[in-house]
Amino acid sequence: MSEPQVVASRYAAGGGAASEASSRGRLWRAAVKWPMYAVAVMPVLLAAGWRLGQGLGLRPGQLLLFLLAAVLLLAWENLANDVFDADTGVDTHGKPHSVVNLTGRRDRVLALANGCLVVGLGLMALVALRSSAVVLLLVLACCGLGYLYQGPPFRLGYRGLGEPLCWLAFGPCATAAALLALAPAGEGAGGVPWGDALLLGSGPALATTLVLFCSHFHQVDEDAAHGKRSPVVRLGTRRAAGLVPWFVAAALALQWAPVLLGWWPLTALLGAIGLPPARALIRLLGEEHHRPERIVGSKFLALRFQAFNGLGLACGLALGPWLTALAGR
């Protein structure tokens, strides 16, 4: 082989290696799913915005601890779900970015998941110690709902019940825990603030549920082949795509109703900044619902809607009194 051929061969081999490394990097970024952690932090951010808007004050230390614990607990759920899906085989071919598939070490992934769970619950116990013991009980209930979703022997997500479990966990349960955690110690003696938690958390939790709902569209065949009867498998992609506008409308209606009733300031309508990605999601699934390769990113559009909508609502609630006072000058 001539020297130019040798150089070309080495260049090609290097390029192939670089391409493989780049591809593996993309898979790891997809496996980490860092944008998904917006769903973990949203309940406490909403609780913080609500408390500031009510003039009730805020404990930054509790907020930071809750945020860190929530991220670790969602990491546990994501990693544990990879393990549980690996056990059923649903991720064997359709999900190369599964952490189990990437590492080939189910045992280590499970150990890491359990480590995240222990540390996350430890931090939540500290939050509860500084506020109310009910916080830890509510968070344990959220973890239980998360386990029911994919964990054996329940695997309720395989029966199409993942979405209501998601709404319960990230809605009233997590929001009530966050409200108690940010309140002064002893304030939770009056019981769980279910009314405030439902009013504040219902709409954003529906946006979070939409993220889970949209994650099924690109893997309908794989799910059906392994007995995972998600709502999209049961309905078919066309009818399921038709429900997405209703998810968005219901999430916004639950947030706008308190404004119309005079319970929340007009600035709470800032949650509408999530509408552009919502419109893009509705259009994408309406046109391409039957093409898995084109809608694989639909859950990230749903996630943008969830993140922008929730942050807009939290900021709007916090800014309401300040803007009202400014307008009154």
Side-chain angles (χ1 to χ4, degrees):
M1 182 181 294
S2 67
E3 185 174 348
Q5 289 175 317
V6 171
V7 172
S9 177
R10 289 177 180 171
Y11 180 82
S19 177
E20 183 179 350
S22 175
S23 177
R24 191 167 181 81
R26 285 194 296 271
L27 289 175
W28 270 110
R29 286 192 292 274
V32 172
K33 297 190 285 277
W34 66 265
M36 296 295 292
Y37 291 89
V39 307
V41 303
M42 197 55 66
V44 74
L45 294 181
L46 288 165
W50 183 85
R51 286 192 63 84
L52 288 174
Q54 296 293 313
L56 297 175
L58 195 62
R59 292 195 287 171
Q62 288 287 87
L63 174 61
L64 291 175
L65 280 174
F66 199 105
L67 285 170
L68 181 56
V71 167
L72 286 169
L73 292 175
L74 187 60
W76 159 71
E77 185 166 358
N78 286 338
L79 291 168
N81 286 347
D82 271 3
V83 171
F84 300 144
D85 279 341
D87 291 343
T88 64
V90 70
D91 282 349
T92 303
H93 301 293
K95 194 175 179 183
H97 58 278
S98 160
V99 179
V100 174
N101 288 342
L102 281 170
T103 62
R105 295 300 302 266
R106 176 194 180 279
D107 54 340
R108 292 186 180 179
V109 175
L110 182 59
L112 179 59
N114 290 335
C116 290
L117 175 64
V118 170
V119 177
L121 287 177
L123 291 175
M124 279 298 183
L126 180 58
V127 170
L129 187 65
R130 298 168 61 178
S131 54
S132 167
V134 181
V135 171
L136 184 58
L137 295 178
L138 288 168
V139 171
L140 285 171
C142 292
C143 292
L145 291 168
Y147 186 83
L148 289 173
Y149 170 57
Q150 291 283 66
F154 309 102
R155 302 191 191 279
L156 296 186
Y158 281 66
R159 304 179 189 180
L161 298 175
E163 279 70 13
L165 292 174
C166 177
W167 184 85
L168 283 171
F170 289 99
C173 290
T175 307
L179 287 169
L180 286 173
L182 299 182
E187 191 173 303
V192 180
W194 289 120
D196 291 334
L198 280 167
L199 189 65
L200 181 61
S202 293
L206 201 54
T208 297
T209 303
L210 178 61
V211 178
L212 176 61
F213 184 74
C214 290
S215 71
H216 303 306
F217 275 92
H218 70 286
Q219 55 189 43
V220 170
D221 292 339
E222 291 85 354
D223 285 351
H226 290 86
K228 189 172 183 178
R229 305 288 293 170
S230 71
V232 181
V233 170
R234 291 176 180 272
L235 293 169
T237 57
R238 181 181 295 277
R239 284 196 292 174
L243 289 179
V244 173
W246 292 100
F247 267 100
V248 174
L252 293 174
L254 288 168
Q255 297 171 34
W256 292 353
V259 177
L260 295 175
L261 292 170
W263 299 343
W264 288 354
L266 281 172
T267 49
L269 297 177
L270 277 173
I273 64 174
L275 274 173
R279 290 180 59 191
L281 173 67
I282 292 168
R283 184 164 54 249
L284 174 65
L285 289 177
E287 297 172 357
E288 308 285 357
H289 62 87
H290 56 297
R291 298 179 177 176
E293 70 282 359
R294 297 197 178 184
I295 58 172
V296 67
S298 60
K299 69 179 177 182
F300 293 106
L301 281 174
L303 186 61
R304 288 178 195 171
F305 166 63
Q306 181 268 342
F308 290 143
N309 170 252
L311 287 173
L313 176 59
C315 291
L317 289 170
L319 292 174
W322 180 76
L323 291 177
T324 300
L326 189 64
R329 288 182 182 178

